[in-house]
Amino acid sequence: MKYFSTRGGHDLLSFEETVLTGLAPDGGLYIPESIPQLPEGWQSLWKNYTFVDLSVEVLSMYISPKEISRQELRALVEKSYKTFRHPDITPLKKLNDKTFILELFHGPTFAFKDVALQLLGNLFEFFLIRRNMRKAEGEKQERLTVVGATSGDTGSAAIYGLRNKSNISIFILHPKGRVSPIQEAQMTTVTDANVHNLAVKGTFDDCQDIVKSLFADQEFNRKHRLGAVNSINWARILAQTVYYFLSYFHLRRQIAATSPDQSLDDLDIQYVVPTGNFGDILAGYYAKRMGLPIGKLVVATNSNDILARFWKSGAYEKVDSTASNVDATQATAPAEGASDGKQAVGGVKETLSPAMDILVSSNFERLLWYLADEGSETSTEDPRERRRQACEIVDGWMKKVKSDGRVEVPTKVLELARRDFLAERVSDEETLETIRYYFKSEPSYVADPHTAVGLSAAQRLAVNNPPSTLQVVLSTAHPAKFAEAVTQALQNEPNFNFERDLLPEEFRGLLDRKRNVIDVEAAEVDLVKRVIEQYAENDDTERGGAIPRRSV
Ligand SMILES: *Cc1c(COP(=O)(O)O)cnc(C)c1O
């Protein structure tokens, strides 16, 4: 299996090159040359498989065995999911007759990004070790210097995915004092020698700008071989397809056990996904295209609703041109993934579900490629020519977004998008109401605000769903990670006690633990470069010995 860029289509990369490159040089995202189809008899063969078994089956369809053998792949996957606290890795729980919740937060940082970043860290390490083994004695060893900016979730999941990995240093910039105390503690209490937290005096936007300048600095980039861990990395999407398969089997098993009269063949399963950068739900799209019989995929957004607006109108636009007055008072610094935030008039809105506060959804470009391909009028039979034509269409659309802030796709393309997806926007008020509703339900369930966006969208759609439709809502974070919003929703509930009911053992005492952090006294690229120069090359020689941290 080879990969190509959504904006190019000429060069074909191996899986290893795709994973190590991240973003394509032409600005596009890598996608597989074709979507593999499930093997004959998969349903009976795989039905009792564990998360690890399914990972091996699904991933090996996208990775040539010449690159990673099945045996090596199994070892990588086993190592990656050993760090999870639940035996099912991503367990499925029943909320009521029609609604199930797929919990993705049982990894080390209590958010769904762990599912992908635990594997990505091990893949990076595997590739680097192999490259270095092939080198002659005395030849310079290859290293990877991962640099990223975070406002919370991505940074901690990346640090836990890369801590203590050979040949890899990780530098995560966060705006000092502007991430939640729990998230800051999760990042800065990791003391492995290859992990470097930079607390930058400035905003998240400043951090993101510094990271962008570092990647754009070709000399610096080459010297340190900078690597990215944001959600455009193909390995992250691939790792996430697995829980769609696992939950599908778990759901069938639960229905067979509790409603023996129900036929399993006419079940219509709707997957509802709290969405920001479109990575999580895109994994479901791949699962569906591979042949997993799932119904509609539901995009649930908060009031940063570029995707919900797209499915309404067919226009992909940063600012809602149909709104009578754009609320400029709500505009704040863009969060993770909102790469072009500064130019926009409206800006990103700050909500109770901050991990979904985005202006544009980077992974949406991958879906656009498939829509362009299927919706095009081309008569060519040559797959390479077809591919090139779809890339040209996507490149045109993305250039329009960059220059005009918006693009409108043809009606046929919008219809194709509606065949597989629905989209709903959920307000903060509805988010709080939904947290209360499920807390008071039987069985009582406390959802984090991101998950509540999904649950709220699901409730709205359920009213018009046929009786055979079941909903699986993806739960993307543990409620204790977003304590403020949960407490705000449940403050008047006499039966609710945060410490007693929610706080995980792992969070107790976290705030008092020793910190590993380098203060950067001004948001300046040169200061950050100095930190990287000082620590990146030393990491392996210093391994095991604590490096004294200081301010610059
Ligand atoms: C990252 C994140 C999301 C959004 O996922 P995407 O793949 O970017 O759509 C939702 N909820 C939480 C808690 C997250 O950390």
Side-chain angles (χ1 to χ4, degrees), residues 448-462:
D448 103 286
H450 304 81
T451 307
V453 167
L455 284 166
S456 180
Q459 264 181 328
R460 204 184 293 161
L461 291 170

Side-chain angles (χ1 to χ4, degrees), residues 112-113 153 274-280 355-356 450 476-477:
F112 99 97
K113 290 184 172 67
D153 264 8
T275 294
N277 261 330
F278 205 73
D280 205 2
M356 288 151 53
H450 304 81
T476 52

Side-chain angles (χ1 to χ4, degrees), residues 248-259:
Y248 169 80
F249 287 116
H250 281 177
L251 183 65
R252 286 174 69 95
R253 222 179 295 157
Q254 288 193 25
I255 299 293
T258 55
S259 332

Side-chain angles (χ1 to χ4, degrees), residues 117-134:
L117 282 163
Q118 286 291 306
L119 180 70
L120 184 63
N122 287 317
L123 283 171
F124 278 160
E125 184 179 56
F126 175 82
F127 292 139
L128 287 168
I129 288 177
R130 186 165 66 186
R131 284 169 175 230
N132 287 331
M133 263 168 40
R134 290 174 185 157

Side-chain angles (χ1 to χ4, degrees), residues 105 110-114 152-154 157 183 231 236-237 240 243 273-282 299-300 307 336 353-358 361-363 448-451 474-478 481-482:
F105 56 70
F110 292 78
F112 99 97
K113 290 184 172 67
D114 288 326
D153 264 8
T154 303
Q183 290 187 328
S231 74
R236 286 185 60 176
I237 308 296
Q240 291 167 4
Y243 45 71
V273 189
T275 294
N277 261 330
F278 205 73
D280 205 2
I281 195 165
L282 183 74
V299 178
L307 292 173
E336 262 140 338
S353 42
M356 288 151 53
D357 288 350
I358 49 89
S361 293
S362 32
N363 274 297
D448 103 286
H450 304 81
T451 307
L474 274 56
S475 173
T476 52
H478 189 286
K481 247 196 129 158
F482 295 92

Side-chain angles (χ1 to χ4, degrees), residues 297-365:
L297 293 156
V298 181
V299 178
T301 78
N302 63 26
S303 46
N304 294 290
D305 61 347
I306 182 167
L307 292 173
R309 285 185 279 114
F310 170 81
W311 262 277
K312 264 210 183 77
S313 69
Y316 187 63
E317 51 184 4
K318 291 180 192 169
V319 180
D320 184 359
S321 61
T322 60
S324 49
N325 58 344
V326 177
D327 185 359
T329 57
Q330 279 201 50
T332 59
E336 262 140 338
S339 52
D340 296 334
K342 273 196 160 163
Q343 289 102 302
V345 186
V348 170
K349 298 191 187 91
E350 205 173 331
T351 72
L352 293 174
S353 42
M356 288 151 53
D357 288 350
I358 49 89
L359 209 54
V360 293
S361 293
S362 32
N363 274 297
F364 185 60
E365 181 168 340

